[in-house]
Every structure is written in structure tokens, then in C-alpha cells.
Amino acid sequence: MTSKDFSIRDGEQAVKLPEKTDAGVYFIGRIRTPWKDRKDCPKNARESDAVCTVELDPRWAKGLKEVEKCSHIILLYWMDKAPRNLVLQVPRHYGEPRGTFALRSPARPNPIALSVVRLLKVEGDTLSVVGLDCLDGTPMIDLKPYFASTDSVPEAIVGWHKRD
Amino acid sequence: MTSKDFSIRDGEQAVKLPEKTDAGVYFIGRIRTPWKDRKDCPKNARESDAVCTVELDPRWAKGLKEVEKCSHIILLYWMDKAPRNLVLQVPRHYGEPRGTFALRSPARPNPIALSVVRLLKVEGDTLSVVGLDCLDGTPMIDLKPYFASTDSVPEAIVGWHKRD
């Protein structure tokens, strides 16, 4: 992925970024996937059966205690190659401008991506998961247990999106 | 909320934090809720009908275009009063140590909280939502559309958690 993948298209709009950030994040690990180039990443993570690996920095490994009891987890990761100043974007598959916050595009003020993944196993500081679509080497910033009671909303609707 | 709310309990464990952070986040808005003190926050956001407000910084307001078509959105916010060095924690309601990544506690290396909320309306740079449990004034860092196709897993299980 190079910055030219993110050149501004007709209908897109950027803003001036604030002069400084307000808080700092630690990269706590790396995500290993089979995809080395953005064009190879799956279009929909649910359509991929690829087993990916999350390598947590050993510093944090004890934080995994009992994570193996979760069938699904939420991964937050940092899309560090995306521009942060776009407020309107024209995704290729929609063809018209939408607000950044109506999209899951990596281009956003804070380039944090979120994936719900199925957990296969935990070994030491490494997790095997299914359901990712990101580039190999993507920095991870958090992982959390997925609670169906608060995180699952099967009836949720996004107006322009075809229902499965 | 004060730092003494987060004093280390028996069975908890902290690590030395890295010397520096790896990336910066912008606070892009504030969350307004009825709760001024941690003890007043709802125990389970799904049990609260309180209408809360998300005030986006005007700089980013155009990014909301078409967000009103989403029935549910994902909010990411920064729990800036929590310690970041705990790897084992003893939540009062569990009574035994669990790994930080097996918990939704605000105390984690990157204190990013995630809530799935129901969107009532969007007016200018302000959103009205139901389903939050955080303190008034909490800094927001992202909002995303919730897609049932990838984000909803009704059958997900957390081993020690009572099913609803």
C-alpha cells in the first residue's frame, strides 16, 4: 500500500488537521496475515477462511489469561498508512461521496480499525484467529472479549447496504 | 473518578510501560452523559435508556454525511483516567484475577473503550444515542457504522459469562 492509493478523488474533501494529537497509543503487537499488498486483502473478512496470527509483545502476555475462554474477540489495530484528514470519501464500490464516519475506510482522523474475529487458540503470546482482512505486519493496539449481550445487534441496518 | 479508584488489589499485576508511545490520537469530540461520577454510571449499558449526546468537533462535522442512515453505530472513546500498566486485574464482580485482554475494563495499555449504540438522530455536529455508560465529558476518538453482517455474532460465548 502506498500513499498514492489514497489520492483525493472527485467529490472527496479534506480538512486541516489539528496542530497536535491529544494522547498516545502503544503498539502492543503485530498482526500476521497472508496479504502483503492492499489489493490482495479480502474484500469482506467474513468471506475469508484464512487463519491469521496475532503476536502480542511479550511485555503484555500475562494480559491474555482466560482469553482462551472467548469464542470471539474484538481486535483494534492501527492503519498507519492511511491519510487522516478526509471528511468526505468516494469509495470505489459506492461511487458517491459519503462521510468518513459513515464508512469503515482506514482513512479517518484516528486510523483505528475494528474486526470481530473467531478465536481458534492461544499459545503463549500468540493468538490464531479467523476473520481478518488487513495487511501483514499491521500494528495491534487492543483486544477485547466480544460479548453477544452488548456487542451483537443482528437487526442493525445501514440504509444503503444490502442485507445479507 | 480518581486514581485511587484504580489502586492495585491482591492478585493484580502491573508491568513497566514502554518508554514512549508509537502514534497519536486526536480527540474529535466529547460524549455528554448524565453521569458525573464513576459510581453513578450504569453497570450494563444495555440496561440504560438514557439518551446521551455525542458532540463532534465542528472541524469533522462533514464526516457525518449519511451517518443518519445507520440504525446503530460503534463509538470509540478514550478512558483517560485509567491506568495503562495492568496486565492482571481483579474486577469486584468476579473476585479473581483475569487478564486485561479478557476484560472490558478501562484499565488497559490503550484505554480505548468501545460501545455499540442505537442512533436516534443527527443534528449538525451532534448525535443522540442510547446505550452508553461512560462519564460525562469523555473524549471521543472515532465513530463507525455498525454492520450486522460483520459485527454481529449472536452465538459468541465468553466462558465465564452468564448467557442472557
Side-chain angles (χ1 to χ4, degrees):
Chain A
M1 179 161 51
T2 63
S3 59
K4 72 176 164 46
D5 290 328
F6 285 108
S7 56
I8 286 201
R9 302 184 190 132
D10 282 353
E12 295 194 332
Q13 192 169 327
V15 297
K16 189 174 183 316
L17 289 174
E19 294 195 356
K20 58 182 191 61
T21 53
D22 298 289
V25 297
Y26 300 114
F27 294 165
I28 63 170
R30 293 276 162 183
I31 298 176
R32 315 307 318 198
T33 76
W35 309 295
K36 309 287 185 194
D37 193 286
R38 199 179 173 208
K39 68 173 169 23
D40 301 326
C41 294
K43 291 283 170 289
N44 182 331
R46 278 269 175 119
E47 290 165 10
S48 172
D49 289 333
V51 176
C52 300
T53 304
V54 175
E55 297 174 356
L56 194 65
D57 183 296
R59 177 194 306 267
W60 307 108
K62 284 196 176 168
L64 291 176
K65 181 175 159 60
E66 312 225 19
V67 167
E68 74 280 0
K69 294 184 180 161
C70 303
S71 69
H72 293 74
I73 56 176
I74 299 171
L75 287 180
L76 299 182
Y77 44 100
W78 192 261
M79 308 297 279
D80 55 353
K81 295 181 178 63
R84 300 176 66 164
N85 60 348
L86 292 181
V87 286
L88 291 179
Q89 302 181 47
V90 182
R92 285 185 206 283
H93 52 295
Y94 290 139
E96 57 185 87
R98 295 193 197 280
T100 288
F101 303 117
L103 297 168
R104 293 288 276 263
S105 162
R108 52 205 315 115
N110 295 304
I112 298 169
L114 177 165
S115 290
V116 177
V117 300
R118 184 159 54 88
L119 179 62
L120 299 182
K121 64 179 173 187
V122 181
E123 290 179 305
D125 50 18
T126 300
L127 300 88
S128 300
V129 303
V130 171
L132 282 172
D133 58 6
C134 64
L135 283 174
D136 185 46
T138 298
M140 186 181 52
I141 59 173
D142 201 8
L143 67 96
K144 302 175 186 294
Y146 182 95
F147 287 101
S149 56
T150 49
D151 301 322
S152 177
V153 186
E155 73 276 17
I157 289 172
V158 174
W160 63 84
H161 193 69
K162 185 169 65 65
R163 295 301 301 270
D164 292 343
Chain B
M1 180 158 54
T2 62
S3 58
K4 72 174 164 46
D5 291 328
F6 285 109
S7 57
I8 285 201
R9 301 184 192 134
D10 281 353
E12 296 194 332
Q13 192 169 328
V15 297
K16 189 174 181 320
L17 288 175
E19 294 196 356
K20 59 181 191 60
T21 53
D22 297 291
V25 296
Y26 300 115
F27 294 165
I28 64 170
R30 293 276 162 183
I31 298 175
R32 315 306 318 198
T33 75
W35 309 295
K36 310 288 185 194
D37 193 286
R38 200 180 172 207
K39 70 173 169 19
D40 301 326
C41 294
K43 290 283 169 290
N44 182 332
R46 278 270 173 116
E47 290 165 9
S48 172
D49 290 332
V51 176
C52 301
T53 305
V54 175
E55 298 174 357
L56 195 65
D57 184 297
R59 178 194 305 266
W60 307 108
K62 283 196 175 168
L64 292 175
K65 181 175 159 60
E66 312 225 20
V67 167
E68 73 281 359
K69 294 184 181 161
C70 303
S71 70
H72 293 74
I73 56 176
I74 298 172
L75 287 181
L76 300 182
Y77 44 99
W78 192 261
M79 307 296 279
D80 55 354
K81 295 180 179 66
R84 300 175 67 164
N85 60 347
L86 292 182
V87 286
L88 291 180
Q89 303 181 47
V90 182
R92 284 185 207 281
H93 52 298
Y94 290 140
E96 56 185 88
R98 294 193 197 280
T100 287
F101 303 117
L103 297 169
R104 293 289 275 264
S105 162
R108 51 206 316 116
N110 295 304
I112 298 169
L114 176 165
S115 290
V116 177
V117 300
R118 185 159 54 88
L119 179 62
L120 299 182
K121 63 180 173 184
V122 181
E123 290 179 304
D125 49 18
T126 300
L127 299 88
S128 301
V129 303
V130 171
L132 282 174
D133 58 5
C134 65
L135 283 175
D136 186 46
T138 299
M140 184 181 54
I141 60 174
D142 200 8
L143 67 98
K144 303 176 185 294
Y146 182 96
F147 288 100
S149 56
T150 50
D151 302 322
S152 176
V153 186
E155 73 277 17
I157 290 173
V158 174
W160 63 85
H161 193 68
K162 186 170 63 67
R163 295 302 300 271
D164 291 344

